[in-house]
Amino acid sequence: MSNPVITVEGLGKRYTLRHQARSGLLRDKLATLLRNPFRQLRENRATAEDFWALRDVNFSVNQGDVIGIIGRNGAGKSTLLKILSRITEPTTGRISIQGRIASLLEVGTGFHGELSGRENIFLNGAILGMKRAEIRKKFDEIVAFAEVEKFLDTPVKHYSSGMYVRLAFAVAAHLEPEILIVDEVLAVGDADFQRKCLLKMNDVTSRKAVRSCL
Amino acid sequence: MNDIPTSPPPIIIEAGRTERHYWRDLWRYRELLGFLAWRDVKVRYKQAVLGVAWAVIQPAINTLLLTFVFNKLAKMPGGDVPYPLLVLAGLLPWQLFSGAFSGAGSSLVNNAHLISKVYFPRLIVPLSAVVVALIDMLVLLGIAIPYAMYEGIYPTWRFLLLPLFVLGTMLVALGAGLWITALTVKYRDFRFITPFLLQIGMFVTPVGYRTDFLPNWRDWLALNPLTSMVEGFRWCLLGGRTDFYDRGLFLSLTVTAVMLVTGLWYFRKTERQFADVI
């Protein structure tokens, strides 16, 4: 039996929906609290409704598996990935992950429009969890992959949207995690670039990977 | 077993579980801290004609303003130190604090796109605000020292103790900053409260006046942890021409420790929900 890299048991995520304008504003909280300290508790219960985005999810992923999660809008795919990548915590259940994990829930997370392409490569790389030395080593590769050599020192706010996503994806594609979590990020660039991304993905998945294309 | 010889222990994700590797993660992400601070410094003066000069113009105007109000209008004595220099030495820690405090307060909200998309110890974000404020302070210090020498006040051995007070001020700022950061994520009201708090703070901190000439108020002022830091900065920079109040320092450190510990506790407690409420 091969050893599972990811084990998920009884995972659940509950969000509380608040109806009416029972906002979390401090003003409202203080006001209701002062007006009637006991009523507030009762009302909260009456207007809040639980919504389970995920409930009782169980699965395990073995080394070398490539897994796609598909489902309708609102099925909870992104929530699951967010929990797996430790952005938000589950309400119930337990996950055990073995290995270095990286997640791409969005391309270009943390890109700053005022910074140049070169600077953004370093910033974005660091945000995704790469070491400075690692980024430096792969810098040329990233630039070549994104095909933006000419515009390296231009602030990315002047980039065309195609260039922008190519650069963003290039950084992400050069991460070398043991587990990679991907959320609908492959839909970038023109047909040629998409093909290139898929090839790169195949290359990455020669190691172990979890991947979800939505 | 020899598949993954260097792999770290498994990451366990459970509801309500505090990260066991939090502090190790914080260390692992130290480069990100540097990058975030670097980004904020770099981006701030983009498209501003005067650029970095603003880092000097603002405190210069503040110094003149405070000198005018406290020295000329309120007739506060400056002792044997030129009044503007007294104010400038007080502004150094004050700017460090206020920059870090307001920066931390807005940091998580400004970085909301990061918080909801990537994992990293959230503590990095307010910490980077403190680093940015430190860089600003060092720029100002580079102006203050030549100015003091121009006025005939040269650095003495006391100057070597300045890093301790810099560190102290940063801890005060971090303690207060953690509270305001966590509160701002949940209650945006604190965005409006922060500037107001800073305005009050500027007057209850002896930036524009000397505490050794106000014996009746000294203990009260010392309850503000920044008071001691301001006194410490003056004592180090002005070659001992101002008095240092050691009982005040003790009070200040106690208040700082309480703020820091409770701030960390509250931040860590709310941190796990940041992505859901931001």
Side-chain angles (χ1 to χ4, degrees), chain A residues 13 95 97 119 132 157, chain B residues 8 11 13 31 42 47 276:
Chain A
K13 174 76 182 173
I95 300 171
I97 299 171
E119 292 161 337
R132 193 193 307 251
K157 67 176 174 182
Chain B
I11 301 163
I13 304 171
E31 283 191 346
K42 184 122 194 174
Q47 284 208 2
D276 292 339

Side-chain angles (χ1 to χ4, degrees), chain A residues 149-200:
Chain A
E149 292 91 338
K150 234 167 107 184
F151 309 101
L152 258 190
D153 294 306
T154 312
V156 297
K157 67 176 174 182
H158 298 309
Y159 276 31
S160 76
S161 47
M163 281 154 62
Y164 186 92
V165 285
R166 282 207 310 267
L167 182 66
F169 187 85
V171 181
H174 288 80
L175 271 171
E176 275 182 359
E178 292 164 317
I179 301 168
L180 183 63
I181 298 176
V182 182
D183 192 354
E184 50 191 338
V185 292
L186 284 180
V188 299
D190 51 21
D192 268 353
F193 191 71
Q194 283 193 18
R195 206 168 306 125
K196 201 161 140 189
C197 293
L198 288 171
L199 276 176
K200 184 75 190 172

Side-chain angles (χ1 to χ4, degrees), chain B residues 67-260:
Chain B
T67 307
F68 179 71
V69 171
F70 284 99
N71 187 223
K72 297 286 184 291
L73 291 184
K75 304 282 179 227
M76 294 286 230
D80 54 352
V81 184
Y83 213 90
L85 189 57
L86 195 74
V87 173
L88 188 58
L91 265 179
L92 283 165
W94 173 254
Q95 293 237 321
L96 174 55
F97 172 80
S98 65
F101 182 72
S102 59
S106 51
S107 62
L108 279 179
V109 178
N110 289 344
N111 288 301
H113 57 291
L114 289 188
I115 304 295
S116 54
K117 294 294 180 193
V118 234
Y119 167 80
F120 55 87
R122 302 323 190 193
L123 204 52
I124 297 261
V125 179
L127 273 176
S128 86
V130 177
V131 173
V132 171
L134 174 69
I135 294 169
D136 279 348
M137 200 278 294
L138 291 176
V139 171
L140 191 55
L141 188 65
I143 306 273
I145 293 171
Y147 175 52
M149 298 209 295
Y150 170 77
E151 295 281 4
I153 296 175
Y154 291 90
T156 58
W157 58 269
R158 293 178 186 86
F159 186 74
L160 298 176
L161 292 177
L162 189 66
L164 291 180
F165 291 102
V166 173
L167 182 70
T169 311
M170 285 167 74
L171 290 179
V172 177
L174 186 63
L178 286 177
W179 271 107
I180 207 78
T181 309
L183 285 169
T184 310
V185 171
K186 198 149 185 204
Y187 308 106
R188 298 289 150 88
D189 308 61
F190 282 90
R191 287 186 124 174
F192 307 103
I193 298 175
T194 310
F196 196 60
L197 284 177
L198 283 173
Q199 258 178 14
I200 299 171
M202 182 127 180
F203 290 99
V204 299
T205 306
V207 180
Y209 49 91
R210 283 178 73 157
T211 47
D212 37 359
F213 294 158
L214 298 166
N216 298 334
W217 289 93
R218 251 194 149 175
D219 277 324
W220 289 107
L221 286 171
L223 281 176
N224 169 5
L226 277 175
T227 301
S228 259
M229 300 307 155
V230 168
E231 288 187 345
F233 264 72
R234 286 197 179 129
W235 183 77
C236 294
L237 287 172
L238 305 179
R241 282 175 181 77
T242 55
D243 183 31
F244 188 71
Y245 189 43
D246 19 357
R247 188 146 67 108
L249 181 64
F250 176 73
L251 266 172
S252 156
L253 290 180
T254 315
V255 175
T256 308
V258 171
M259 270 192 342
L260 203 57

Side-chain angles (χ1 to χ4, degrees), chain A residues 1-7 60-65 98 208, chain B residues 1-4 7:
Chain A
M1 188 185 135
S2 58
N3 52 332
V5 190
I6 299 180
T7 321
S60 70
V61 180
N62 293 323
Q63 194 169 339
D65 284 0
Q98 181 78 53
K208 59 187 164 180
Chain B
M1 264 332 266
N2 48 8
D3 260 336
I4 25 177
S7 73

Side-chain angles (χ1 to χ4, degrees), chain B residues 16-55:
Chain B
R17 182 191 178 98
T18 45
E19 301 270 354
R20 224 181 327 153
H21 310 303
Y22 193 79
W23 301 106
R24 201 191 60 190
D25 269 1
L26 197 61
W27 175 246
R28 244 173 32 97
Y29 278 87
R30 66 190 182 281
E31 283 191 346
L32 181 58
L33 171 65
F35 273 118
L36 288 182
W38 164 81
R39 178 198 68 184
D40 289 343
V41 170
K42 184 122 194 174
V43 165
R44 188 156 30 150
Y45 300 113
K46 282 267 164 90
Q47 284 208 2
V49 181
L50 292 180
V52 199
W54 282 112

Side-chain angles (χ1 to χ4, degrees), chain A residues 74-93:
Chain A
K77 306 174 294 280
S78 295
T79 305
L80 174 63
L81 298 187
K82 274 192 175 182
I83 294 173
L84 279 177
S85 40
R86 291 196 286 170
I87 292 164
T88 174
E89 64 162 2
T91 314
T92 61

